[in-house]
Amino acid sequence: KEYKLSVATRTFEARGRAFGPGTIIAQLGSNPEALHEDIRSLAETLGVEVFAVHSGLTESGISLGSNRVRLLKKPEIALLTGSPVSGNDFGELWYLFDQELGFPVTPMRATELGEANLSRFDVIILPDGGNYQSIFDSVRVDKLKRWVQGGGVLIGLENGARFLTKSRSGITPATLKSEKKEDDKSKEEKEGEKARKDSRKRLTLFEQQETDRLEQIPGTIFKTLVDSTHPIGYGYSREL
């Protein structure tokens, strides 16, 4: 229903309760009268707690009218499809957005990205696939760079992410660890690699396989500290 929502980027306290960064705020003056009923219905359906306050003034922290409360904008997302994108990976992402999140995305053929009006989109997603360099010449790469410099968010997955590295498109300065040149490595990195190679030579085949297995981390759970003031960390406690 295109309600106007905002997000608090800092903590505040209202009605004796503390609210952290990432708190969503719906202001009555900016929304239709049906806001109360719709929020009550959504809260019951989704199991979300909703609290009403009667003023923009707070007991501590930011006020609800401060510039630390930012209006949320629904992003326009383009999801690349067609060669060299993997059909399975495109389908998986489309299903996630369309069926599970209920969030519309615009499929765009990768080969047409160079001619498309990118200013329509806030986010472009490059799924896993084949060789992106086969369809992105320097002109198309420069177009993507300018779009990112203008505020666009470019997301690459697997081979899509590899394409964005310094050695391939140069859109980001990121370097794959496997492609890092010997001259770019520090003395400590070189010594560490040599020590690991020397140690591996003394292992049996079984021990090598066990070592490789231990270095893989699928499903591993880590205890970590989160920057809850960063948008990715909104809503999480400091320690997870």
Side-chain angles (χ1 to χ4, degrees), residues 12-234:
F12 64 91
E13 185 175 328
R15 294 182 61 185
R17 181 183 176 92
F19 296 88
T23 299
I24 302 298
I25 300 167
Q27 298 181 351
L28 289 177
S30 306
N31 287 294
E33 293 182 1
L35 178 68
H36 281 297
E37 186 59 37
D38 286 346
I39 283 186
R40 184 181 299 110
S41 175
L42 285 170
E44 291 175 357
T45 301
L46 302 175
V48 176
E49 290 184 288
V50 177
F51 298 86
V53 295
H54 304 292
S55 170
L57 298 176
T58 59
E59 293 152 26
S60 65
I62 62 171
S63 71
L64 302 189
S66 79
N67 60 5
R68 297 294 188 179
V69 176
R70 308 285 176 80
L71 184 66
L72 290 173
K73 176 181 179 295
K74 182 180 178 181
E76 294 293 331
I77 302 175
L79 179 62
L80 295 196
T81 184
S83 179
V85 175
S86 161
N88 288 339
D89 287 271
F90 166 81
E92 181 182 351
L93 290 169
W94 178 85
Y95 185 88
L96 171 66
F97 281 104
D98 190 80
Q99 300 296 311
E100 295 192 12
L101 301 179
F103 197 101
V105 296
T106 301
M108 179 192 296
R109 288 192 175 278
T111 52
E112 297 174 357
L113 190 143
E115 290 70 41
N117 178 14
L118 301 188
S119 63
R120 297 172 46 210
F121 302 104
D122 304 293
V123 181
I124 297 175
I125 301 175
L126 280 61
D128 187 24
N131 182 13
Y132 273 93
Q133 290 167 278
S134 65
I135 62 166
F136 282 96
D137 57 18
S138 60
V139 175
R140 288 179 169 84
V141 168
D142 285 343
K143 182 176 181 178
L144 270 179
K145 284 182 179 179
R146 291 195 300 272
W147 177 78
V148 171
Q149 290 165 355
V153 176
L154 188 58
I155 300 173
L157 303 175
E158 298 186 54
N159 272 343
R162 292 185 182 94
F163 168 69
L164 303 180
T165 59
K166 182 179 179 180
S167 64
R168 304 203 179 182
S169 67
I171 292 176
T172 75
T175 302
L176 291 175
K177 185 177 180 181
S178 59
E179 294 181 349
K180 198 168 185 181
K181 295 180 180 178
E182 199 66 25
D183 293 342
D184 295 334
K185 296 177 182 178
S186 67
K187 180 181 178 182
E188 290 76 15
E189 286 178 308
K190 292 177 181 178
E191 291 177 349
E193 286 184 3
K194 185 177 184 303
R196 284 192 293 273
K197 288 179 181 177
D198 291 343
S199 175
R200 188 178 180 86
K201 290 176 182 177
R202 295 191 290 270
L203 300 177
T204 65
L205 177 60
F206 173 78
E207 290 171 333
Q208 290 178 12
Q209 292 173 338
E210 285 296 289
T211 300
D212 292 341
R213 183 181 62 81
L214 292 173
E215 290 178 352
Q216 297 174 357
I217 55 171
T220 302
I221 299 174
F222 294 95
K223 185 176 182 180
T224 185
L225 297 177
V226 177
D227 179 3
S228 59
T229 65
H230 190 284
I232 294 178
Y234 282 172

